[in-house]
Amino acid sequence: MTAASPSRQSLRWLEHDLLIFRRGWHSYLLSGLSQPFLYLLSMGIGLGLYVNKNGGAPGGVPYLDYVAPALLVTQAMMAAAAEAAWPIMGKIMWDKTYLAALNTPIGVFDLLLGDLMWIAFRATLLSVLFLAIVVLLGAAMSPLVVLAVPIAVLTALAFAAPIIAFTATQKGDGGFNALFRFGITPLFLFSGTFFPIEKLPRLLQPLAWATPLYHGVSLARSFSLGTVEPVGVAVHTAALVTFVAVGLYAGRITFRRRLEV
């Protein structure tokens, strides 16, 4: 029997993830939207009252308008990072779903691509819903804000691909605690989400610039505020694509080492 093409088999694995999602979509959406929505209310509106009294965000922009596109991107990052960690580990070690799938025409790279497509689907869904909340709150200054959705998805993949590659090297979930405590959480706070990275100490500014979240936040904010610069868009997009490509390449190697026998 001739095996189907890798793209077709990846779609079959995506279908597997979507069937699971269909049974528990309520919890997916609730967990994915509740935290960023609370941040939007507490930081964008609550803290924003005090920030706006002192001139607002850079350029005199209302703080809610400044922070809303950033939170749209960060919620996609958070969801993608979590999905690339424990669920992937479960498929490798605990449930051994991958081993079962490999007894079919589905290959190792198909599993990787299929799960990245699933993460992209989830990030798209969450971002569209969150964008609707942003628009209803009047926190979008430009119709180009709709482009924040694909930017959020690209940022999600820029995290998911390297984390999936990392997950395939782990023998347990202990490394995830360090990853989120010393990686994801600091990035959420110090990559331009709540204040410009220029406010950071000079030594830390290059580190923030070298992270995918900074590029995603900068892109989404420029589209939402209508301050798009073609060169900036090109640089930020290229950086995000590079993170995805490097993560995909690394994941292909680590998946094969872990799953092929």
Side-chain angles (χ1 to χ4, degrees):
M1 181 177 65
T2 302
S5 65
S7 59
R8 181 179 176 184
Q9 299 294 9
S10 299
L11 291 173
R12 297 296 294 176
W13 188 246
L14 171 62
E15 181 183 7
H16 160 269
D17 288 327
L18 291 175
L19 288 174
I20 296 175
F21 170 73
R22 187 176 66 178
R23 295 198 298 267
W25 64 270
H26 311 81
S27 59
Y28 274 106
L29 297 184
L30 181 61
S31 62
L33 283 175
S34 57
Q35 185 173 359
F37 181 63
L38 291 175
Y39 270 112
L40 195 61
L41 292 178
S42 60
M43 301 295 291
I45 297 177
L47 179 61
L49 292 175
Y50 298 97
V51 176
N52 294 335
K53 288 180 180 179
N54 292 279
V61 174
Y63 191 65
L64 177 61
D65 295 15
Y66 180 83
V67 79
L71 288 174
L72 187 152
V73 173
T74 55
Q75 62 88 23
M77 174 203 71
M78 289 288 193
E83 195 68 33
W86 288 276
I88 299 298
M89 178 64 71
K91 293 174 182 178
I92 294 174
M93 287 188 58
W94 304 321
D95 302 327
K96 299 187 183 298
T97 315
Y98 281 159
L99 294 181
L102 290 174
N103 287 306
T104 72
I106 296 176
V108 171
F109 193 54
D110 301 322
L111 297 174
L112 175 61
L113 287 180
D115 275 327
L116 283 175
M117 286 190 288
W118 152 245
I119 291 173
F121 168 82
R122 186 182 179 193
T124 301
L125 182 59
L126 291 176
S127 298
V128 168
L129 293 175
F130 194 75
L131 177 61
I133 296 173
V134 170
V135 173
L136 287 174
L137 291 176
M141 299 177 66
S142 169
L144 291 176
V145 69
V146 296
L147 296 177
V149 171
I151 294 304
V153 175
L154 183 58
T155 305
L157 292 176
F159 279 91
I163 292 174
I164 283 181
F166 169 75
T167 299
T169 67
Q170 300 300 293
K171 301 300 183 182
D173 63 350
F176 298 148
N177 294 326
L179 172 65
F180 280 80
R181 182 173 300 173
F182 301 111
I184 300 300
T185 300
L187 289 182
F188 170 61
L189 297 174
F190 302 115
S191 291
T193 305
F194 300 107
F195 56 87
I197 65 169
E198 289 76 16
K199 299 296 184 180
L200 292 172
R202 289 186 178 274
L203 292 176
L204 296 181
Q205 292 179 23
L207 295 177
W209 198 94
T211 64
L213 184 59
Y214 165 73
H215 297 285
V217 165
S218 298
L219 271 176
R221 182 172 285 141
S222 68
F223 286 126
S224 181
L225 300 180
T227 58
V228 178
E229 296 180 357
V231 174
V233 170
V235 171
H236 294 312
T237 303
L240 290 173
V241 171
T242 299
F243 277 105
V244 176
V246 171
L248 188 61
Y249 178 77
R252 188 168 190 169
I253 294 173
T254 58
F255 262 49
R256 283 178 171 172
R257 288 177 179 173
R258 185 65 179 269
L259 297 174
E260 287 185 348
V261 293

